[in-house]
Amino acid sequence: MTTDHQDTDTTILDTDVLVVGAGPAGLMLATELRLGGAEVVVVDQRPGPTTESRASTLHARTMEILDSRGLLDELGTPPCEPRGHFGGVPLDLRLPSSHPGQWKVAQTRTEELLQRRAAELGAVLRRRHQLLSLTAEDGVEAEAIGPYGPVRIRARYLVGCDGEDSTVRRLVRAPFPGRDAARELLRADVSGVEVADRRFQRLEHGLAIAATREGVTRVMVHEFGRPAAERGGAEPDFAEVTDVWKRVTGEDISQGTPLWVNAFGDANRQLAHYRHGRVLFAGDAAHRQMPSGGQALNLGVQDAFNLGWKLAAVVRGSAGEDLLDTYHSERHTVGRQVLANIRAQVELLLGGPEVEPARALLTELVALDGVRQHLAGMISGLGIRYDVEGPEIHSDEHPLLGRRLPDAWLEPAEGGARRRTTELLRTGRGLLLSLDGDGAPALRATAAPWSDRVAFVADRPAAGGPLPAGQTLLVRPDGYVAWAGSGPAGLARALTRWFGTLAADD
């Protein structure tokens, strides 16, 4: 367990995993680590969840993740918008999902939700703590300064979830290739102004966006040809926003009251490696991108959801360290694809008249359902497919292999009320789901040595649903199908690959 004691004037903390950063990625990671049985300490410089009006969109895959951990009841039913965009071109995001579309949830609310769950599960959160140094050899030792003095934290692993200007990344000197911002959008939340709502309105001199909710108007503006300013970490003045807004739209919003002002550029960088020995990275610490389409927060939460159960298994000793390498291979690939689609969107959004032919062509293409589904799958996270088999594992060809287990109704073989597949993931364990409903004795026997980590369920899929009868699916704790078959061939190898060879208590 995490221990806390004093050594002269220094507080000493011993734990399994130190998470630096209590944003959505760091808090999601803390909940998954605790669910997997790892002790975790989270440190963050801020006094509490963000109060700034930053990311406000949860995409379908993130909503499914929250549902799979039983968090949506507390979140309630936020507003849902079925339409998004790709580079400002309207895009219908509705794909088969329990939560299609994009859901409007303030980042403050998301952080409060995840912080409460992390605390309920026993994560230790230290606010107002600034990381000063770290060393990582046989373990990790970090120095931080808190409100009551210096703190030394000893951990087996450290995960940097501390944002695009990551201190962990700087201390590790992790290569972060890519490009700096050349263009930017200015953004402000303003009260006391009346301007028409605009959805990616391209005018002669620039791009203008405006939306009013509950008396607060968010404006975003880019002036064509205007380079990103050198700000040194400072935010723009409201006067700069009003000047650019007036040049682009001809409207004067200077009489309004600014509630929040910032700028975000089109920097596009990704860590060469998400793992550096005992130090790993997730969220904006691992990749820096313009938040086009509301993808940044969602990408970070999904990084954490992929990493948490794997790192917990390694800490418990039920899996080898090679499991952590799959975190890099899976999420670096996804990150690279997201950064590529964001670069394309930036050109379509912030380019001048020269991009109009490309925009016109894309507008025609998204009317084709195959194109729409492909783009919506990228934006929503529903299109992810991992390479889960590896060179030694070959299961029956199945359309769900490497993809998320769909939300579907199941009929229990032994009677009782119907249940959703999502409910079976609530514990954070793996799942061996036999869809023939007879208990599949050979499959159950094969999986028995892993029963402490993998639940066996024999149900029948409800008629008309997305799950085929007569097959068995091995589902990882993050909800992705790692093996599919109608018999036990290959199952033991898949269980070993994803769930190790030792009992969790050994």
Side-chain angles (χ1 to χ4, degrees), residues 33-52:
L33 287 166
R34 288 297 302 133
L35 201 60
E39 299 296 331
V40 58
V41 171
V42 184
V43 297
D44 192 280
Q45 296 185 59
R46 300 174 301 163
T50 183
T51 58
E52 296 176 340

Side-chain angles (χ1 to χ4, degrees), residues 282-427:
D284 288 346
H287 36 74
R288 184 172 187 171
Q289 62 283 311
M290 194 172 184
S292 182
Q295 295 180 86
L297 180 150
N298 293 270
L299 185 61
V301 167
Q302 292 166 36
D303 285 345
F305 200 61
N306 183 288
L307 174 59
W309 68 275
K310 296 175 180 178
L311 185 51
V314 172
V315 164
R316 291 196 322 266
S318 62
E321 287 202 0
D322 57 342
L323 186 61
L324 297 180
D325 295 330
T326 70
Y327 167 66
H328 167 80
S329 62
E330 292 180 350
R331 293 308 298 175
H332 192 275
T333 299
V334 171
R336 183 175 67 249
Q337 293 167 345
V338 170
L339 265 64
N341 90 53
I342 287 177
R343 285 199 304 271
Q345 291 194 65
V346 167
E347 295 303 320
L348 294 167
L349 276 171
L350 305 186
E354 72 278 2
V355 303
E356 290 304 329
R359 293 177 59 83
L361 177 60
L362 180 61
T363 301
E364 293 180 17
L365 290 175
V366 295
L368 304 174
D369 201 48
V371 174
R372 181 196 70 81
Q373 289 186 36
H374 179 71
L375 295 178
M378 287 196 303
I379 298 292
S380 65
L382 297 177
I384 292 171
R385 185 170 195 172
Y386 294 135
D387 178 9
V388 295
E389 290 192 292
E392 301 300 324
I393 303 172
H394 301 285
S395 60
D396 293 353
E397 186 63 30
H398 196 285
L400 289 177
L401 193 63
R403 297 191 182 277
R404 78 197 202 287
L405 180 70
D407 182 77
W409 286 102
L410 300 170
E411 304 283 356
E414 299 178 357
R418 295 200 310 169
R419 52 186 171 179
R420 295 164 55 210
T421 53
T422 302
E423 296 172 26
L424 301 177
L425 300 174
R426 295 275 161 85
T427 63

Side-chain angles (χ1 to χ4, degrees), residues 428-440:
R429 299 171 67 199
L431 171 67
L432 186 61
L433 178 60
S434 175
L435 295 169
D436 61 7
D438 66 0

Side-chain angles (χ1 to χ4, degrees), residues 174-177 270-276 279-281 286 327-328 332:
F176 196 42
Q270 184 182 26
L271 280 176
H273 301 282
Y274 282 15
R275 181 188 178 197
H276 290 250
V279 178
L280 301 101
F281 295 88
Y327 167 66
H328 167 80
H332 192 275

